[in-house]
PDB file of all heavy atoms in Angstrom:
ATOM      1  N   ALA A   1    -125.231 247.423 -25.573  1.00  0.00           N
ATOM      2  CA  ALA A   1    -125.868 247.746 -26.858  1.00  0.00           C
ATOM      3  C   ALA A   1    -127.305 248.218 -26.633  1.00  0.00           C
ATOM      4  O   ALA A   1    -127.764 249.174 -27.269  1.00  0.00           O
ATOM      5  CB  ALA A   1    -125.828 246.542 -27.788  1.00  0.00           C
ATOM      6  N   GLY A   2    -128.025 247.568 -25.712  1.00  0.00           N
ATOM      7  CA  GLY A   2    -129.388 247.997 -25.397  1.00  0.00           C
ATOM      8  C   GLY A   2    -129.436 249.378 -24.782  1.00  0.00           C
ATOM      9  O   GLY A   2    -130.299 250.187 -25.113  1.00  0.00           O
ATOM     10  N   LEU A   3    -128.495 249.666 -23.887  1.00  0.00           N
ATOM     11  CA  LEU A   3    -128.444 251.000 -23.270  1.00  0.00           C
ATOM     12  C   LEU A   3    -128.138 252.079 -24.315  1.00  0.00           C
ATOM     13  O   LEU A   3    -128.705 253.177 -24.265  1.00  0.00           O
ATOM     14  CB  LEU A   3    -127.403 251.033 -22.150  1.00  0.00           C
ATOM     15  CG  LEU A   3    -127.775 250.237 -20.899  1.00  0.00           C
ATOM     16  CD1 LEU A   3    -126.592 250.208 -19.934  1.00  0.00           C
ATOM     17  CD2 LEU A   3    -129.019 250.787 -20.229  1.00  0.00           C
ATOM     18  N   LEU A   4    -127.269 251.777 -25.265  1.00  0.00           N
ATOM     19  CA  LEU A   4    -126.967 252.747 -26.320  1.00  0.00           C
ATOM     20  C   LEU A   4    -128.185 252.974 -27.211  1.00  0.00           C
ATOM     21  O   LEU A   4    -128.451 254.110 -27.627  1.00  0.00           O
ATOM     22  CB  LEU A   4    -125.771 252.281 -27.147  1.00  0.00           C
ATOM     23  CG  LEU A   4    -124.428 252.253 -26.422  1.00  0.00           C
ATOM     24  CD1 LEU A   4    -123.335 251.742 -27.356  1.00  0.00           C
ATOM     25  CD2 LEU A   4    -124.063 253.617 -25.857  1.00  0.00           C
ATOM     26  N   ARG A   5    -128.922 251.907 -27.502  1.00  0.00           N
ATOM     27  CA  ARG A   5    -130.154 252.055 -28.293  1.00  0.00           C
ATOM     28  C   ARG A   5    -131.144 252.938 -27.547  1.00  0.00           C
ATOM     29  O   ARG A   5    -131.795 253.801 -28.141  1.00  0.00           O
ATOM     30  CB  ARG A   5    -130.775 250.692 -28.583  1.00  0.00           C
ATOM     31  CG  ARG A   5    -130.060 249.915 -29.661  1.00  0.00           C
ATOM     32  CD  ARG A   5    -130.668 248.544 -29.947  1.00  0.00           C
ATOM     33  NE  ARG A   5    -132.105 248.549 -30.026  1.00  0.00           N
ATOM     34  CZ  ARG A   5    -132.867 247.526 -29.614  1.00  0.00           C
ATOM     35  NH1 ARG A   5    -132.322 246.451 -29.070  1.00  0.00           N
ATOM     36  NH2 ARG A   5    -134.166 247.581 -29.728  1.00  0.00           N
ATOM     37  N   LYS A   6    -131.270 252.726 -26.239  1.00  0.00           N
ATOM     38  CA  LYS A   6    -132.201 253.528 -25.437  1.00  0.00           C
ATOM     39  C   LYS A   6    -131.765 254.992 -25.414  1.00  0.00           C
ATOM     40  O   LYS A   6    -132.598 255.896 -25.470  1.00  0.00           O
ATOM     41  CB  LYS A   6    -132.304 252.981 -24.018  1.00  0.00           C
ATOM     42  CG  LYS A   6    -133.343 253.729 -23.182  1.00  0.00           C
ATOM     43  CD  LYS A   6    -133.579 253.077 -21.849  1.00  0.00           C
ATOM     44  CE  LYS A   6    -132.404 253.321 -20.955  1.00  0.00           C
ATOM     45  NZ  LYS A   6    -132.703 253.193 -19.537  1.00  0.00           N
ATOM     46  N   ALA A   7    -130.477 255.240 -25.341  1.00  0.00           N
ATOM     47  CA  ALA A   7    -129.984 256.619 -25.330  1.00  0.00           C
ATOM     48  C   ALA A   7    -130.289 257.321 -26.645  1.00  0.00           C
ATOM     49  O   ALA A   7    -130.645 258.499 -26.660  1.00  0.00           O
ATOM     50  CB  ALA A   7    -128.478 256.638 -25.052  1.00  0.00           C
ATOM     51  N   THR A   8    -130.160 256.593 -27.738  1.00  0.00           N
ATOM     52  CA  THR A   8    -130.362 257.179 -29.061  1.00  0.00           C
ATOM     53  C   THR A   8    -131.834 257.416 -29.376  1.00  0.00           C
ATOM     54  O   THR A   8    -132.200 258.443 -29.930  1.00  0.00           O
ATOM     55  CB  THR A   8    -129.732 256.274 -30.137  1.00  0.00           C
ATOM     56  OG1 THR A   8    -128.335 256.141 -29.842  1.00  0.00           O
ATOM     57  CG2 THR A   8    -129.899 256.845 -31.522  1.00  0.00           C
ATOM     58  N   ASN A   9    -132.678 256.454 -29.027  1.00  0.00           N
ATOM     59  CA  ASN A   9    -134.117 256.589 -29.254  1.00  0.00           C
ATOM     60  C   ASN A   9    -134.851 255.871 -28.143  1.00  0.00           C
ATOM     61  O   ASN A   9    -135.089 254.659 -28.220  1.00  0.00           O
ATOM     62  CB  ASN A   9    -134.544 256.037 -30.609  1.00  0.00           C
ATOM     63  CG  ASN A   9    -136.040 256.172 -30.820  1.00  0.00           C
ATOM     64  OD1 ASN A   9    -136.716 256.906 -30.109  1.00  0.00           O
ATOM     65  ND2 ASN A   9    -136.560 255.455 -31.793  1.00  0.00           N
ATOM     66  N   ALA A  10    -135.243 256.598 -27.135  1.00  0.00           N
ATOM     67  CA  ALA A  10    -135.851 255.998 -25.945  1.00  0.00           C
ATOM     68  C   ALA A  10    -137.327 255.675 -26.106  1.00  0.00           C
ATOM     69  O   ALA A  10    -137.899 255.016 -25.245  1.00  0.00           O
ATOM     70  CB  ALA A  10    -135.649 256.920 -24.743  1.00  0.00           C
ATOM     71  N   VAL A  11    -137.948 256.078 -27.197  1.00  0.00           N
ATOM     72  CA  VAL A  11    -139.395 255.877 -27.352  1.00  0.00           C
ATOM     73  C   VAL A  11    -139.807 254.410 -27.164  1.00  0.00           C
ATOM     74  O   VAL A  11    -140.753 254.132 -26.427  1.00  0.00           O
ATOM     75  CB  VAL A  11    -139.899 256.449 -28.691  1.00  0.00           C
ATOM     76  CG1 VAL A  11    -141.360 256.097 -28.931  1.00  0.00           C
ATOM     77  CG2 VAL A  11    -139.703 257.972 -28.721  1.00  0.00           C
ATOM     78  N   PRO A  12    -139.114 253.426 -27.776  1.00  0.00           N
ATOM     79  CA  PRO A  12    -139.532 252.034 -27.554  1.00  0.00           C
ATOM     80  C   PRO A  12    -139.294 251.549 -26.118  1.00  0.00           C
ATOM     81  O   PRO A  12    -139.846 250.527 -25.713  1.00  0.00           O
ATOM     82  CB  PRO A  12    -138.657 251.233 -28.524  1.00  0.00           C
ATOM     83  CG  PRO A  12    -138.158 252.206 -29.523  1.00  0.00           C
ATOM     84  CD  PRO A  12    -138.071 253.516 -28.798  1.00  0.00           C
ATOM     85  N   PHE A  13    -138.502 252.254 -25.344  1.00  0.00           N
ATOM     86  CA  PHE A  13    -138.092 251.830 -24.007  1.00  0.00           C
ATOM     87  C   PHE A  13    -138.874 252.512 -22.879  1.00  0.00           C
ATOM     88  O   PHE A  13    -139.011 251.953 -21.803  1.00  0.00           O
ATOM     89  CB  PHE A  13    -136.602 252.121 -23.794  1.00  0.00           C
ATOM     90  CG  PHE A  13    -135.701 251.412 -24.753  1.00  0.00           C
ATOM     91  CD1 PHE A  13    -135.421 251.947 -26.002  1.00  0.00           C
ATOM     92  CD2 PHE A  13    -135.127 250.201 -24.408  1.00  0.00           C
ATOM     93  CE1 PHE A  13    -134.579 251.284 -26.887  1.00  0.00           C
ATOM     94  CE2 PHE A  13    -134.283 249.530 -25.290  1.00  0.00           C
ATOM     95  CZ  PHE A  13    -134.016 250.074 -26.533  1.00  0.00           C
ATOM     96  N   VAL A  14    -139.321 253.733 -23.114  1.00  0.00           N
ATOM     97  CA  VAL A  14    -139.941 254.552 -22.069  1.00  0.00           C
ATOM     98  C   VAL A  14    -141.396 254.816 -22.457  1.00  0.00           C
ATOM     99  O   VAL A  14    -141.665 255.551 -23.413  1.00  0.00           O
ATOM    100  CB  VAL A  14    -139.173 255.875 -21.868  1.00  0.00           C
ATOM    101  CG1 VAL A  14    -139.818 256.723 -20.782  1.00  0.00           C
ATOM    102  CG2 VAL A  14    -137.715 255.607 -21.550  1.00  0.00           C
ATOM    103  N   ALA A  15    -142.312 254.226 -21.703  1.00  0.00           N
ATOM    104  CA  ALA A  15    -143.735 254.280 -22.048  1.00  0.00           C
ATOM    105  C   ALA A  15    -144.270 255.704 -22.177  1.00  0.00           C
ATOM    106  O   ALA A  15    -145.093 255.971 -23.038  1.00  0.00           O
ATOM    107  CB  ALA A  15    -144.549 253.499 -21.018  1.00  0.00           C
ATOM    108  N   GLY A  16    -143.823 256.629 -21.377  1.00  0.00           N
ATOM    109  CA  GLY A  16    -144.354 257.984 -21.396  1.00  0.00           C
ATOM    110  C   GLY A  16    -143.704 258.911 -22.398  1.00  0.00           C
ATOM    111  O   GLY A  16    -143.991 260.105 -22.424  1.00  0.00           O
ATOM    112  N   MET A  17    -142.829 258.376 -23.247  1.00  0.00           N
ATOM    113  CA  MET A  17    -142.090 259.217 -24.188  1.00  0.00           C
ATOM    114  C   MET A  17    -142.706 259.112 -25.585  1.00  0.00           C
ATOM    115  O   MET A  17    -142.937 258.022 -26.083  1.00  0.00           O
ATOM    116  CB  MET A  17    -140.621 258.803 -24.217  1.00  0.00           C
ATOM    117  CG  MET A  17    -139.725 259.821 -24.879  1.00  0.00           C
ATOM    118  SD  MET A  17    -137.981 259.393 -24.716  1.00  0.00           S
ATOM    119  CE  MET A  17    -137.709 259.666 -22.976  1.00  0.00           C
ATOM    120  N   ALA A  18    -142.968 260.266 -26.190  1.00  0.00           N
ATOM    121  CA  ALA A  18    -143.573 260.306 -27.509  1.00  0.00           C
ATOM    122  C   ALA A  18    -142.551 260.535 -28.618  1.00  0.00           C
ATOM    123  O   ALA A  18    -142.758 260.106 -29.755  1.00  0.00           O
ATOM    124  CB  ALA A  18    -144.634 261.402 -27.565  1.00  0.00           C
ATOM    125  N   GLU A  19    -141.445 261.215 -28.302  1.00  0.00           N
ATOM    126  CA  GLU A  19    -140.461 261.570 -29.322  1.00  0.00           C
ATOM    127  C   GLU A  19    -139.084 261.698 -28.682  1.00  0.00           C
ATOM    128  O   GLU A  19    -138.959 262.148 -27.549  1.00  0.00           O
ATOM    129  CB  GLU A  19    -140.866 262.910 -29.946  1.00  0.00           C
ATOM    130  CG  GLU A  19    -140.085 263.333 -31.148  1.00  0.00           C
ATOM    131  CD  GLU A  19    -140.646 264.635 -31.728  1.00  0.00           C
ATOM    132  OE1 GLU A  19    -141.873 264.857 -31.669  1.00  0.00           O
ATOM    133  OE2 GLU A  19    -139.833 265.435 -32.222  1.00  0.00           O
ATOM    134  N   CYS A  20    -138.061 261.305 -29.427  1.00  0.00           N
ATOM    135  CA  CYS A  20    -136.681 261.409 -28.949  1.00  0.00           C
ATOM    136  C   CYS A  20    -135.785 261.604 -30.166  1.00  0.00           C
ATOM    137  O   CYS A  20    -135.685 260.715 -31.011  1.00  0.00           O
ATOM    138  CB  CYS A  20    -136.300 260.135 -28.190  1.00  0.00           C
ATOM    139  SG  CYS A  20    -134.620 260.141 -27.520  1.00  0.00           S
ATOM    140  N   VAL A  21    -135.162 262.776 -30.256  1.00  0.00           N
ATOM    141  CA  VAL A  21    -134.344 263.125 -31.419  1.00  0.00           C
ATOM    142  C   VAL A  21    -132.955 263.533 -30.956  1.00  0.00           C
ATOM    143  O   VAL A  21    -132.806 264.439 -30.124  1.00  0.00           O
ATOM    144  CB  VAL A  21    -134.988 264.286 -32.214  1.00  0.00           C
ATOM    145  CG1 VAL A  21    -134.103 264.688 -33.388  1.00  0.00           C
ATOM    146  CG2 VAL A  21    -136.378 263.898 -32.688  1.00  0.00           C
ATOM    147  N   VAL A  22    -131.931 262.874 -31.494  1.00  0.00           N
ATOM    148  CA  VAL A  22    -130.549 263.235 -31.190  1.00  0.00           C
ATOM    149  C   VAL A  22    -130.201 264.484 -31.984  1.00  0.00           C
ATOM    150  O   VAL A  22    -130.372 264.524 -33.204  1.00  0.00           O
ATOM    151  CB  VAL A  22    -129.586 262.081 -31.523  1.00  0.00           C
ATOM    152  CG1 VAL A  22    -128.139 262.511 -31.354  1.00  0.00           C
ATOM    153  CG2 VAL A  22    -129.897 260.860 -30.667  1.00  0.00           C
ATOM    154  N   VAL A  23    -129.714 265.516 -31.277  1.00  0.00           N
ATOM    155  CA  VAL A  23    -129.366 266.778 -31.938  1.00  0.00           C
ATOM    156  C   VAL A  23    -127.860 266.993 -32.007  1.00  0.00           C
ATOM    157  O   VAL A  23    -127.390 267.863 -32.747  1.00  0.00           O
ATOM    158  CB  VAL A  23    -130.049 267.987 -31.262  1.00  0.00           C
ATOM    159  CG1 VAL A  23    -131.564 267.882 -31.414  1.00  0.00           C
ATOM    160  CG2 VAL A  23    -129.661 268.114 -29.805  1.00  0.00           C
ATOM    161  N   GLU A  24    -127.105 266.203 -31.246  1.00  0.00           N
ATOM    162  CA  GLU A  24    -125.644 266.339 -31.229  1.00  0.00           C
ATOM    163  C   GLU A  24    -125.043 265.027 -30.738  1.00  0.00           C
ATOM    164  O   GLU A  24    -125.574 264.383 -29.837  1.00  0.00           O
ATOM    165  CB  GLU A  24    -125.274 267.472 -30.287  1.00  0.00           C
ATOM    166  CG  GLU A  24    -123.815 267.789 -30.171  1.00  0.00           C
ATOM    167  CD  GLU A  24    -123.588 268.923 -29.171  1.00  0.00           C
ATOM    168  OE1 GLU A  24    -124.369 269.893 -29.149  1.00  0.00           O
ATOM    169  OE2 GLU A  24    -122.622 268.816 -28.397  1.00  0.00           O
ATOM    170  N   ARG A  25    -123.932 264.628 -31.336  1.00  0.00           N
ATOM    171  CA  ARG A  25    -123.217 263.420 -30.914  1.00  0.00           C
ATOM    172  C   ARG A  25    -121.758 263.740 -30.647  1.00  0.00           C
ATOM    173  O   ARG A  25    -121.179 264.593 -31.311  1.00  0.00           O
ATOM    174  CB  ARG A  25    -123.258 262.343 -31.992  1.00  0.00           C
ATOM    175  CG  ARG A  25    -124.603 261.731 -32.231  1.00  0.00           C
ATOM    176  CD  ARG A  25    -124.512 260.620 -33.292  1.00  0.00           C
ATOM    177  NE  ARG A  25    -125.809 260.129 -33.632  1.00  0.00           N
ATOM    178  CZ  ARG A  25    -126.434 259.139 -33.008  1.00  0.00           C
ATOM    179  NH1 ARG A  25    -125.848 258.534 -32.002  1.00  0.00           N
ATOM    180  NH2 ARG A  25    -127.635 258.746 -33.378  1.00  0.00           N
ATOM    181  N   SER A  26    -121.182 263.023 -29.690  1.00  0.00           N
ATOM    182  CA  SER A  26    -119.752 263.098 -29.439  1.00  0.00           C
ATOM    183  C   SER A  26    -119.266 261.684 -29.162  1.00  0.00           C
ATOM    184  O   SER A  26    -120.062 260.746 -29.085  1.00  0.00           O
ATOM    185  CB  SER A  26    -119.451 264.018 -28.251  1.00  0.00           C
ATOM    186  OG  SER A  26    -119.930 263.441 -27.059  1.00  0.00           O
ATOM    187  N   GLU A  27    -117.971 261.536 -28.972  1.00  0.00           N
ATOM    188  CA  GLU A  27    -117.404 260.217 -28.716  1.00  0.00           C
ATOM    189  C   GLU A  27    -117.950 259.603 -27.427  1.00  0.00           C
ATOM    190  O   GLU A  27    -118.150 258.394 -27.347  1.00  0.00           O
ATOM    191  CB  GLU A  27    -115.876 260.314 -28.628  1.00  0.00           C
ATOM    192  CG  GLU A  27    -115.188 258.985 -28.421  1.00  0.00           C
ATOM    193  CD  GLU A  27    -113.682 259.118 -28.375  1.00  0.00           C
ATOM    194  OE1 GLU A  27    -113.134 260.063 -28.972  1.00  0.00           O
ATOM    195  OE2 GLU A  27    -113.066 258.274 -27.716  1.00  0.00           O
ATOM    196  N   ASN A  28    -118.212 260.432 -26.442  1.00  0.00           N
ATOM    197  CA  ASN A  28    -118.629 259.933 -25.133  1.00  0.00           C
ATOM    198  C   ASN A  28    -120.054 260.304 -24.752  1.00  0.00           C
ATOM    199  O   ASN A  28    -120.387 260.322 -23.567  1.00  0.00           O
ATOM    200  CB  ASN A  28    -117.667 260.428 -24.048  1.00  0.00           C
ATOM    201  CG  ASN A  28    -116.279 259.867 -24.256  1.00  0.00           C
ATOM    202  OD1 ASN A  28    -116.126 258.681 -24.515  1.00  0.00           O
ATOM    203  ND2 ASN A  28    -115.280 260.730 -24.181  1.00  0.00           N
ATOM    204  N   GLY A  29    -120.889 260.600 -25.759  1.00  0.00           N
ATOM    205  CA  GLY A  29    -122.267 260.913 -25.416  1.00  0.00           C
ATOM    206  C   GLY A  29    -123.029 261.572 -26.539  1.00  0.00           C
ATOM    207  O   GLY A  29    -122.617 261.550 -27.700  1.00  0.00           O
ATOM    208  N   LEU A  30    -124.151 262.155 -26.147  1.00  0.00           N
ATOM    209  CA  LEU A  30    -125.008 262.831 -27.111  1.00  0.00           C
ATOM    210  C   LEU A  30    -125.914 263.815 -26.373  1.00  0.00           C
ATOM    211  O   LEU A  30    -125.999 263.803 -25.153  1.00  0.00           O
ATOM    212  CB  LEU A  30    -125.826 261.809 -27.920  1.00  0.00           C
ATOM    213  CG  LEU A  30    -126.708 260.817 -27.159  1.00  0.00           C
ATOM    214  CD1 LEU A  30    -128.089 261.376 -26.875  1.00  0.00           C
ATOM    215  CD2 LEU A  30    -126.831 259.537 -27.956  1.00  0.00           C
ATOM    216  N   VAL A  31    -126.578 264.640 -27.154  1.00  0.00           N
ATOM    217  CA  VAL A  31    -127.606 265.544 -26.651  1.00  0.00           C
ATOM    218  C   VAL A  31    -128.867 265.205 -27.420  1.00  0.00           C
ATOM    219  O   VAL A  31    -128.824 265.011 -28.639  1.00  0.00           O
ATOM    220  CB  VAL A  31    -127.230 267.028 -26.853  1.00  0.00           C
ATOM    221  CG1 VAL A  31    -128.362 267.947 -26.406  1.00  0.00           C
ATOM    222  CG2 VAL A  31    -125.937 267.356 -26.114  1.00  0.00           C
ATOM    223  N   ARG A  32    -129.974 265.103 -26.694  1.00  0.00           N
ATOM    224  CA  ARG A  32    -131.218 264.732 -27.355  1.00  0.00           C
ATOM    225  C   ARG A  32    -132.360 265.608 -26.866  1.00  0.00           C
ATOM    226  O   ARG A  32    -132.345 266.094 -25.728  1.00  0.00           O
ATOM    227  CB  ARG A  32    -131.533 263.259 -27.124  1.00  0.00           C
ATOM    228  CG  ARG A  32    -131.848 262.905 -25.678  1.00  0.00           C
ATOM    229  CD  ARG A  32    -131.963 261.412 -25.473  1.00  0.00           C
ATOM    230  NE  ARG A  32    -132.583 261.126 -24.172  1.00  0.00           N
ATOM    231  CZ  ARG A  32    -132.879 259.926 -23.746  1.00  0.00           C
ATOM    232  NH1 ARG A  32    -132.611 258.867 -24.509  1.00  0.00           N
ATOM    233  NH2 ARG A  32    -133.451 259.740 -22.576  1.00  0.00           N
ATOM    234  N   ASP A  33    -133.319 265.809 -27.749  1.00  0.00           N
ATOM    235  CA  ASP A  33    -134.551 266.496 -27.406  1.00  0.00           C
ATOM    236  C   ASP A  33    -135.631 265.438 -27.245  1.00  0.00           C
ATOM    237  O   ASP A  33    -135.816 264.579 -28.116  1.00  0.00           O
ATOM    238  CB  ASP A  33    -134.957 267.496 -28.487  1.00  0.00           C
ATOM    239  CG  ASP A  33    -134.064 268.724 -28.500  1.00  0.00           C
ATOM    240  OD1 ASP A  33    -133.425 269.017 -27.465  1.00  0.00           O
ATOM    241  OD2 ASP A  33    -134.008 269.399 -29.539  1.00  0.00           O
TER     242      ASP A  33
END
């Protein structure tokens, strides 16, 4: 569950990240900017 949260919005998890937006979802993954 934590890994999925990080994949969806990594900002709280990755200190050097300012923004994380999911642009596409599928059953087995996603694409994010």
Side-chain angles (χ1 to χ4, degrees):
L3 290 173
L4 293 179
R5 284 179 44 214
K6 184 172 73 158
T8 301
N9 179 15
V11 173
F13 299 85
V14 180
M17 195 173 290
E19 189 176 326
C20 181
V21 177
V22 174
V23 296
E24 182 181 320
R25 291 182 186 271
S26 68
E27 182 178 333
N28 296 315
L30 56 87
V31 176
R32 66 188 194 176
D33 287 338

